[in-house]
Each structure stands twice: as C-alpha cells, then as structure tokens.
C-alpha cells in the first residue's frame, strides 16, 4: 500500500509486511527420500518500508526500500533424528526507479528497476555453531500495477511472478570479512 503525505506533496511512503509459517513433518514427506530428513517447521517474516518522490509528470517514481528479513527452519536429520535449528537474518536497502508507461483515470501500469544490497548472518543451533555472514547484491526489473483509491491513497502490487533479476550471494565465516 502506498499513501501520500500531504495534499499537493510529491513524496510517498508505503511498504509491505509478509509472514509465512509451515508446520508439520507430513507436509514435506516427499522430500525425505532425497535428503533423508523430516522438516518440522519453516517460518519467514519480512518488513520493507518504502519512501520516495514522484515527479511532476506522475510517470517517474524515485525511491528506496529498507528491509528486514528473517527465515527460520527447524529440521530433524540423521539416524538419531537430531534437531537442527537454522536461521537467516538479512538487512537491506534497495534504491529503485519506476516508469509508469500507462496512466489513465487513477490506474497505472509500469516497470520498476531496482538494485539492492543485503547483509546478514546465518546461524545453526544458535549457541553451538559459529555464525556465517552473507552479503547479497542483486538487480531486478518488476512489473507494477497501481490503482488510486483517493487523492492521497494508492494501492499497488508488484507482479513478482514476472520479475527478472540477477543476484550474487557471498558467504563468509566469522572473522573472514
């Protein structure tokens, strides 16, 4: 959801919050033959506020997204069914520019080009294993559809199904980077 700050202002604020949780060994039964483990639980949380500027033409948006992502997994592995807890925490920034190539009656279709950098840690069994660190850089182009609900509120969706991107993940053990 994107909301405008003032009547004639060209600034916007918005963002997204996502949560997903999957629980239960039977949901991943088909994977047990391949990796000989039973997954007990997965969870994902993401908060990504956005802020930016809309040009006078209303076709160009320039802004940045700041995000926090957490992925957690509890799995059981091996003959002794050892419980393994893994987690990934990522903090990131993603500047973007969007061009709306179709704007009519409060409805717009555009494409957003973004480049991001994320930094985070990867850990296993929290206390017992040294942490690894991740540096992620990526570039994406994503189709966007937006609908103006009122003078100050616009709803938008990013069509991630059609997102094109390239990313690079670099992993380092504690003390290497």
């Amino acid at each position: 959801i994107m909301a405008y700050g003032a009547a004639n202002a060209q600034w916007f604020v918005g963002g997204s919050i996502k949560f997903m949780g999957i629980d239960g060994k039977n949901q991943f039964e088909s994977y047990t033959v391949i990796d000989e483990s039973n997954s007990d639980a997965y969870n994902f949380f993401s908060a990504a506020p956005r802020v930016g500027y809309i040009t006078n033409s209303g076709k160009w948006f320039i802004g940045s997204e700041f995000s926090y992502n957490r992925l957690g997994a509890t799995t059981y592995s091996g003959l002794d069914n050892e419980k393994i807890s893994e987690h990934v925490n990522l903090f990131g920034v993603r500047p973007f520019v969007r061009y709306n190539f179709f704007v009519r009656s409060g409805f717009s279709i555009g494409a957003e080009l973004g480049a991001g950098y994320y930094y985070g840690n990867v850990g296993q069994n929290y206390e017992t294993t040294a942490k690894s660190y991740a540096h992620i850089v990526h570039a994406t182009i994503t189709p966007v559809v937006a609908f103006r609900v009122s003078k100050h509120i616009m709803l938008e969706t990013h069509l991630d199904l059609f997102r094109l991107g390239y990313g690079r993940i670099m992993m380092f053990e504690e003390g290497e980077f």
Side-chain angles (χ1 to χ4, degrees):
I1 295 177
M2 184 180 293
Y4 293 89
N8 293 321
Q10 296 292 317
W11 293 96
F12 67 86
V13 294
S16 64
I17 296 175
K18 302 172 188 173
F19 177 77
M20 179 184 74
I22 300 172
D23 192 14
K25 292 181 184 180
N26 293 332
Q27 293 180 13
F28 296 96
E29 191 172 334
S30 61
Y31 295 106
T32 58
V33 175
I34 296 170
D35 64 10
E36 298 181 11
S37 66
N38 291 323
S39 296
D40 189 29
Y42 287 95
N43 59 66
F44 173 77
F45 173 78
S46 174
R50 298 165 61 98
V51 63
Y53 182 77
I54 304 169
T55 63
N56 290 333
S57 70
K59 289 192 171 212
W60 287 96
F61 287 47
I62 302 165
S64 190
E65 178 178 281
F66 306 92
S67 68
Y68 168 73
N69 301 288
R70 178 172 176 85
L71 173 65
T74 302
T75 59
Y76 295 88
S77 180
L79 296 175
D80 59 354
N81 219 17
E82 177 188 6
K83 182 177 179 178
I84 300 172
S85 296
E86 299 174 299
H87 69 281
V88 178
N89 290 305
L90 292 172
F91 297 91
V93 61
R94 188 181 75 86
F96 64 87
V97 61
R98 179 192 313 166
Y99 179 73
N100 290 323
F101 48 85
F102 177 83
V103 179
R104 184 167 298 160
S105 301
F107 177 78
S108 62
I109 299 173
E112 186 172 291
L113 177 65
Y117 171 75
Y118 297 87
Y119 171 78
N121 60 41
V122 180
Q124 189 179 69
N125 290 347
Y126 300 102
E127 314 85 32
T128 59
T129 306
K131 289 184 178 180
S132 297
Y133 295 91
H135 298 272
I136 301 170
V137 292
H138 72 89
T140 58
I141 185 164
T142 308
V144 179
V145 176
F147 181 73
R148 185 179 302 277
V149 177
S150 70
K151 186 176 181 180
H152 301 290
I153 297 176
M154 178 183 288
L155 301 176
E156 68 177 28
T157 184
H158 294 220
L159 304 174
D160 286 341
L161 177 64
F162 301 106
R163 175 179 284 190
L164 298 174
Y166 174 78
R168 164 104 181 170
I169 300 174
M170 298 162 281
M171 301 292 291
F172 301 95
E173 293 300 320
E174 196 165 13
E176 285 184 346
F177 185 79

